[in-house]
Amino acid sequence: MTHALHPAPPLRPADLRLPHTERGLRIGLFGGSFNPPHEGHLLVAETALQRLRLDRVWWMVTPGNPLKDHGNLKPLAERVALSRRLVRDPRILVTALEAVHQIRYTADTVALLRRRKPDVRFVWLMGADSLAGFHRWQSWRTIARQVPLAVIDRPGATLSLLSSPAARALGRFRLAEADAPLLALSDPPAWVFLHGPRSPLSSTLLRERGTPTEPTDRAEAPS
């Protein structure tokens, strides 16, 4: 059975509040079930920080993904605690802010944050595997019109992902990878596909293996 090696502390009030921001900050929004979180997720967040020249990444642990089976979903507090044990960069902030607002869809998250933090430059982050099904997300076209998107390469057939319905529909708004640092300053729709180091890990694979979710030690973050 997949399990945490230490009991998860309860959620704190700070876990449910919007993190502090300042005018003009570039913030990547990285949402997911993180059931469990793993080094592949961390690689996405770290790659986005570096390649997009972000000031922060908000690692948003969702109460539950509407497109996924919740039968094996671990408690929110446990997934938040596991994410915190995994993250080492202080610029990556783990939050469960969607829970207090009872948000289930990314479109609602984006609308809330744009309304509450209009002076912040948000970018939605996703692994390339999510791009394949992006056209099935609730109001996905609205998301693309409201916030720039960064797609970070994950193991799989990259060419087939780039021919997915959403990638084709948004094709003319794609920035060259060399222009990735400009994404946060670009008016949506705008997106970029980032190639780079990839991790073979997935939450599904870890659950099937019954692998403990305590993160392994790493010598250093990727440069």
Side-chain angles (χ1 to χ4, degrees):
M1 176 182 295
T2 304
H3 60 281
L5 298 185
H6 303 289
L11 287 173
R12 306 168 303 175
D15 296 329
L16 303 173
R17 290 196 295 264
L18 293 182
H20 173 74
T21 64
E22 297 176 10
R23 179 183 296 274
L25 284 183
R26 305 180 186 192
I27 298 178
L29 304 174
F30 187 30
S33 300
F34 302 111
N35 186 43
H38 54 72
E39 297 284 345
H41 293 135
L42 187 60
L43 187 58
V44 168
E46 291 175 333
T47 298
L49 266 174
Q50 177 185 4
R51 299 284 301 280
L52 302 176
R53 298 183 186 171
L54 301 175
D55 299 298
R56 304 280 190 278
V57 166
W58 290 0
W59 180 299
M60 301 187 301
V61 185
T62 180
N65 186 331
L67 295 180
K68 294 184 178 180
D69 178 12
H70 291 183
N72 294 317
L73 188 64
K74 291 189 171 299
L76 179 60
E78 181 174 340
R79 290 180 282 125
V80 167
L82 288 169
S83 296
R84 285 217 171 89
R85 291 176 201 164
L86 183 67
V87 170
R88 293 166 177 82
D89 192 317
R91 296 173 297 172
I92 303 175
L93 307 177
V94 178
T95 175
L97 65 89
E98 291 175 312
V100 74
H101 296 283
Q102 300 182 332
I103 290 175
R104 298 182 64 222
Y105 296 107
T106 296
D108 296 329
T109 300
V110 169
L112 171 71
L113 295 179
R114 279 168 48 87
R115 185 170 64 251
R116 294 282 188 89
K117 303 290 183 177
D119 57 351
V120 171
R121 294 283 186 168
F122 289 114
V123 176
W124 189 266
L125 311 178
M126 68 174 79
D129 45 349
S130 294
L131 178 62
F134 186 49
H135 62 286
R136 294 195 297 270
W137 291 24
Q138 180 85 1
S139 304
W140 69 273
R141 293 180 184 273
T142 300
I143 298 169
R145 287 194 298 267
Q146 292 186 333
V147 66
L149 309 172
V151 182
I152 293 85
D153 204 4
R154 294 271 288 141
T158 299
L159 290 178
S160 65
L161 294 173
L162 290 174
S163 64
S164 66
R168 291 198 307 269
L170 298 172
R172 65 191 178 97
F173 303 111
R174 182 182 173 190
L175 275 63
E177 193 165 355
D179 292 331
L182 303 177
L183 182 67
L185 303 178
S186 301
D187 292 329
W191 68 290
V192 68
F193 192 99
L194 298 179
H195 297 84
R198 299 182 297 177
S199 168
L201 292 176
S202 75
S203 296
T204 301
L205 180 62
L206 291 177
R207 289 195 301 271
E208 290 174 349
R209 287 179 177 174
T211 306
T213 56
E214 182 78 2
T216 57
D217 289 332
R218 297 183 308 135
E220 60 182 20
S223 60

